[in-house]
Each structure stands twice: as structure tokens, then as C-alpha cells.
Amino acid sequence: MMRKALKRSFILFPVLSFVVIFLLWDGITRYSDWSHQVFPGPMVVMQSALDLAQDSSLLKHSVASLYRVTVGFYLAVMLGIPLGILLGRMTVAKSLINPLIQFLRPISPLAWIPLAMLWFGIGDQPAIFLIFLASFFPLVVATAVAVESINPMYFQVAANFNFSRIEVITKIVVPAIIPEVVTAIRLTVAIAWLVVVAAEMIAVQSGLGYLIVDARNALRMDNVMVGMITIGLIGLLLDIIMIRVTSVDYLKWAKAKK
Amino acid sequence: MGHVKIENLTKEYVNRRSVKRQPGDAARPGEIMRVLDNVNLEFQDGEMVCVLGASGCGKSSMLRIIAGFDTPSSGRVLIDGKEVKGPSADHIFVFQHNGLLPWMTVWQNVELGVRHISDEQEKRHMVFEFLDMVELTGFENHYPNQLSGGMQRRAELARALVVNPDMLFMDEPFTGLDYLTQLRIREEVVNIHSYIGKTMIMVTHFIEDAVIMADRIIVMGDRPTKVKAVYEMKFERPRNLETNKELAEIRDDIFLKLGVSYAV
């Protein structure tokens, strides 16, 4: 019974809400004065999506966007998490670097676009740089906070068992922060995905953001909508993947904690 | 290997509370609070020592200083004639709340104490021996949150014992356990103590546990925090408060010293 109810609320209800939106959208386009050029209906958009999929440009743009997100995000993880650990563990490092991070953090990555284009030219690099910026600061801050909130008792256990500095990191700090950091990664992927589209609207000639801008210039609102829907779908997919990652087996220990 | 001498130990804290803990509390924010006032004690090698006192009397602070997790404001602690400078794997601390590392299985936790042994066979053997001693075989691959409170305590004991420490410190090891589990762990600790014969210092607020378990009972007073009484407990085991009048008298005496009368 329980299982059935769960299945219903997890699959049936979301599908239902999409169907309702679809019908509303269709109704508005049929019974409003807007032309199909300004407000294309769902059938038109689906046809355009099929056309874009057939000449594989939709796939090409999606891959281009995902590639940039992947590279920029990996860079942010590789640099941000170690820096976060350092900030969380060393008071000196924190008072040196933290003010700088808190100063740079509220500057929208989009404000960096002019400089990014000047420094890296046109192509993948400026977009990757912007994604890196967008993901780096949240990761650093979340990691530092996670490290600071580790129960001090575990460090006393470490001292009692004569842990070396490296052991304190590998056996205490890293495992202790994994649950929080995984959550931060999940949230940050969503931010990175937001930013890549914005970056592609300006700095590059490929990707889903470029697809939208290009369609707008050609006054193809149906293709604009295809771009938006694709972005939404991939974002949804990324989130589902991230949830899968967060529920892997090595986090079994943290399940009953909170 | 486990002789402890505490000389003129005093510990003061600056009160960081912004509000008074209780209406009668003397310490104001920023004021210096003395939690240990000129404590002098000596424990013999192999003794089971129980430290009793009201909560907040500084008994845990004293244990933490002996274990090297905290430093005295003045005075010193000597273990086998050497001054304590910091924590050491020779003296293992069993924490008040579960001190197992939650991201490691029971086996991995216990293995921490013998992780430097290169002979895998010997290491496995030792871990198994102590898990067997606390009756946790079959739970090697469980994470701490999958164990009951009593099992967590036993796993922590195994982790402490596998190191073969000179001394064991326990900060309220029975807190948070149900009554029967408490009695079971108590029996286990007494058995382990008579088996390994190491010095054990236990902070507790269960007076009856202290009377049953201890070779020496320290009663700490509250404000000023000095040693109020020391009892040497040379009684045969097993001890039973119901049948041994002398034990019952000591219990009543301790209750009185702590300002509560046992018989109402």
C-alpha cells in the first residue's frame, strides 16, 4: 500500500503537473491573439525540437554546454574543497583569505564576462572560467563551514590515538565533511548550469545559450523555447544524477545521524 | 605503569556565558571561574578510581587534564613521575558521548589502535580478540549508528583496550544507557579491570556504581571545588550493597557529603 502511494506521488503527480501545464499552454496559444511567431504552441515547439534533433545540432549544443560545466566544475571542486579544508582547519589561513572570498563571492559571475572575454578570448575558456567562478566560492564556503562544524571530540580521539597530520585529514576531516560537501556539490551543479547558459549567450558560438541567442536573432521563438526546455530537462537530469550520487553506500553511516 | 600524582592542581576559566547559568550563580560574564582549587591526589598503579561529585564540580575537567586534553592553570599532574604534556596513546580516553568515529565500521574503529602494526595477520588477530572480549563478534561491519548505546560503549572499550594502554580514562561511561545495560557494562568494566589490572579513572555521578566498582573513591565538593573525601575500598568482590553493611554505610556517607540524604 505504502509503496503504491509512494510510486503515485513520485511519478504520477509530477507527470500530472506537466500535463496540466502543457494543456494550459496549448489553450492559451489557441484562444489568445498572439501570433505563433510571438508565442508558439507546444505542437509547434515539439516539431522544431524534432527538426533540431534531426540535424543533431541540439545534441551538439547540449554536449558543448555540458562539457564546459564539467570542466569548470571539476576545476572548482579540485581547488575549492582543499582550500575550504585549509580555511576550516587553520585560523591564520581563514583570517587571511576569508575576507577576500567574502568580498569576491557576491560579485555575480556574469559581471566577469567582459574581463573573461578579454583574458581568454572567444571559445570554451571564458565560459569555463565563469563556471569555475560560480562554483568555486559556494564550494569553498560550504567546505569551510563543514570542517568547522566537525565535533571537536573526533580531533581529541585523533590526538589520543597519535594521528599524524595527514591522518587527521584523511581519517577525520574528509570523511566527516563528505555528507555536507556532497550536498553543496549538488546545489553548486545547479548554479553552474545556470551560469553556463548565460555565459554562452555572450562569449561563445556554441552551446544551449548560444542556441537561444541565435534563435532570437532569427526571430525563431519556437527554437528559443526548445533551448529553454532542453536546459530545464538537462538540469532536472543533473539533479537526479546528483541525488543518486548522494545516496551511495559509503554514506550509510550518516543516515541516522540527524 | 599507571601511578598518578596530582599536585596543587588548579584550573580556572574565564566565564564566556552571557547569561547566568542559575539565579544563584556567582560568576558573571567575563569573570574568572575556578573549577579546580588546589587538588592533591595520588592513585596507585592498577587502581580503579571513581571520581564523584555534583555536575559542574570540575571532575570532568580534572580527568581531561590528567589525560592531557587540557592544561592546568597551576600545579601539575605526574604519571609515573613524568609530567603530563599532552594526550598519548598510552592513556586512552573513553568519551562521555559516543567517541567512535561514525564513518568507520566497528572493525575499523577498533583497528585504529593497532594501525601501525605491519603484520596483517597479527592485527586481525588482536582486533578480533578484543571484539570477542566485549562480545561484539558478528558486528564488525556495522557502523556505530547501527549499534545500541551499550554496544557502542563496548566497541569503544574494545578500541581503547586493543592499544594496551597503561591507563584508561572514562568520562561518565554509563550516561545515556538504560538501567540493565548500565549494570551489564558496569560488570564488564569490573571484569576487564580485574583481567588487565590497569589503572582506570572513571568520572561518574552514580554513587552506587562507584561503591560497587572502585578501589578508591574521590568525592569532589562543589564551589569551592576541592577534594571533599577519599575512600579506600578494600572489599572483596563481588560486592553487594544489600548484604554488605559497610558498603551501604559508605554509600550513605557519600550521599551526605554531597548534600543529599539517601534515606528519606
Side-chain angles (χ1 to χ4, degrees), chain A:
Chain A
M1 274 310 281
M2 191 62 202
R3 238 202 151 82
K4 228 174 175 177
L6 270 176
K7 210 168 182 180
R8 191 164 55 200
S9 58
F10 275 121
I11 295 169
L12 188 66
F13 289 176
V15 168
L16 201 68
S17 61
F18 274 107
V19 169
V20 169
I21 290 291
F22 191 89
L23 290 175
L24 267 176
W25 179 13
D26 196 46
I28 292 171
T29 48
R30 272 175 209 278
Y31 301 109
S32 73
D33 303 336
W34 283 329
S35 74
H36 285 287
Q37 267 72 40
V38 179
F39 195 72
M43 292 306 168
V44 178
V45 172
M46 267 167 75
Q47 185 55 50
S48 312
L50 280 177
D51 292 345
L52 281 174
Q54 248 157 20
D55 70 354
S56 76
S57 58
L58 195 59
L59 184 69
K60 195 187 75 192
H61 288 305
S62 303
V63 169
S65 295
L66 279 170
Y67 163 74
R68 289 172 193 134
V69 167
T70 310
V71 175
F73 190 72
Y74 268 127
L75 280 175
V77 168
M78 306 279 265
L79 293 172
I81 290 174
L83 183 65
I85 291 175
L86 188 75
L87 293 184
R89 287 293 292 155
M90 283 181 61
T91 328
V92 182
K94 196 188 170 190
S95 38
L96 268 176
I97 304 171
N98 200 42
L100 191 65
I101 286 176
Q102 297 303 336
F103 163 72
L104 290 172
R105 199 160 70 109
I107 301 173
S108 165
L110 305 184
W112 288 84
I113 287 178
L115 286 178
M117 286 176 74
L118 196 65
W119 293 342
F120 299 105
I122 301 283
D124 282 338
Q125 281 113 320
I128 289 170
F129 174 69
L130 293 176
I131 289 152
F132 170 78
L133 279 179
S135 337
F136 178 73
F137 294 115
L139 281 175
V140 172
V141 173
T143 309
V145 169
V147 171
E148 279 172 354
S149 65
I150 297 174
N151 188 337
M153 189 175 67
Y154 301 139
F155 293 111
Q156 289 171 357
V157 171
N160 207 170
F161 284 87
N162 287 343
F163 277 24
S164 66
R165 270 163 179 272
I166 293 168
E167 279 178 316
V168 169
I169 298 294
T170 58
K171 290 200 166 90
I172 307 278
V173 175
V174 171
I177 62 172
I178 281 178
E180 281 90 347
V181 168
V182 166
T183 307
I185 284 178
R186 188 185 148 201
L187 299 175
T188 313
V189 165
I191 299 175
W193 187 237
L194 277 178
V195 169
V196 71
V197 173
E200 284 165 350
M201 288 182 156
I202 298 160
V204 287
Q205 301 293 314
S206 63
L208 292 168
Y210 172 74
L211 172 71
I212 290 176
V213 172
D214 194 42
R216 185 205 58 187
N217 291 341
L219 293 177
R220 289 288 302 271
M221 291 310 135
D222 50 339
N223 282 356
V224 170
M225 284 187 172
V226 172
M228 289 169 67
I229 290 168
T230 312
I231 288 162
L233 285 177
I234 292 176
L236 194 66
L237 203 69
L238 283 177
D239 199 51
I240 290 170
I241 292 169
M242 291 318 288
I243 289 172
R244 280 284 154 82
V245 171
T246 54
S247 56
V248 288
D249 199 45
Y250 64 81
L251 289 171
K252 201 161 56 178
W253 63 267
K255 289 256 169 71
K257 207 174 71 170
K258 277 159 196 165

Side-chain angles (χ1 to χ4, degrees), chain A residues 153-154 156-157 159-163 167 171-172 175-176 252-253 256, chain B residues 64 69 88-89 91 93 95 98-99 101-103 112 115 143 145 163:
Chain A
M153 189 175 67
Y154 301 139
Q156 289 171 357
V157 171
N160 207 170
F161 284 87
N162 287 343
F163 277 24
E167 279 178 316
K171 290 200 166 90
I172 307 278
K252 201 161 56 178
W253 63 267
Chain B
R64 294 172 53 77
F69 288 131
S88 139
H91 319 125
F93 201 100
F95 287 88
N98 185 22
L101 300 181
W103 45 85
L112 284 180
R115 66 192 190 284
Y143 285 94
N145 67 11
V163 183

Side-chain angles (χ1 to χ4, degrees), chain B residues 124-252:
Chain B
R124 290 184 63 81
H125 186 76
M126 286 180 78
V127 174
F128 188 82
E129 183 191 332
F130 283 94
L131 279 178
D132 193 37
M133 189 185 206
V134 297
E135 293 167 33
L136 276 178
T137 47
F139 292 95
E140 294 91 345
N141 295 323
H142 283 58
Y143 285 94
N145 67 11
Q146 297 168 313
L147 303 178
S148 69
M151 288 161 101
Q152 292 177 355
R153 245 39 84 92
R154 299 210 305 263
E156 207 175 340
L157 273 177
R159 186 179 71 179
L161 293 168
V162 76
V163 183
N164 191 25
D166 295 340
M167 267 197 285
L168 219 56
F169 304 119
M170 287 176 278
D171 190 3
E172 311 214 359
F174 307 134
T175 307
L177 301 178
D178 66 86
Y179 187 61
L180 282 178
T181 312
Q182 189 176 330
L183 295 189
R184 211 167 285 148
I185 301 279
R186 181 173 85 181
E187 187 189 357
E188 203 137 353
V189 171
V190 169
N191 286 342
I192 287 168
H193 178 250
S194 58
Y195 178 65
I196 62 171
K198 301 289 171 76
T199 310
M200 290 191 183
I201 306 176
M202 186 175 107
V203 163
T204 178
H205 53 252
F206 295 110
I207 292 165
E208 302 194 347
D209 285 341
V211 174
I212 296 276
M213 297 169 78
D215 297 321
R216 185 186 297 270
I217 297 176
I218 315 293
V219 180
M220 310 271 289
D222 190 8
R223 293 185 203 110
T225 47
K226 295 182 188 218
V227 176
K228 251 191 175 161
V230 177
Y231 297 85
E232 288 212 38
M233 307 285 288
K234 298 210 155 83
F235 295 96
E236 288 295 309
R237 290 182 205 280
R239 295 177 185 171
N240 187 335
L241 279 167
E242 305 296 321
T243 53
N244 190 330
K245 266 204 128 132
E246 271 183 277
L247 284 177
E249 276 167 18
I250 289 175
R251 173 194 63 192
D252 295 352

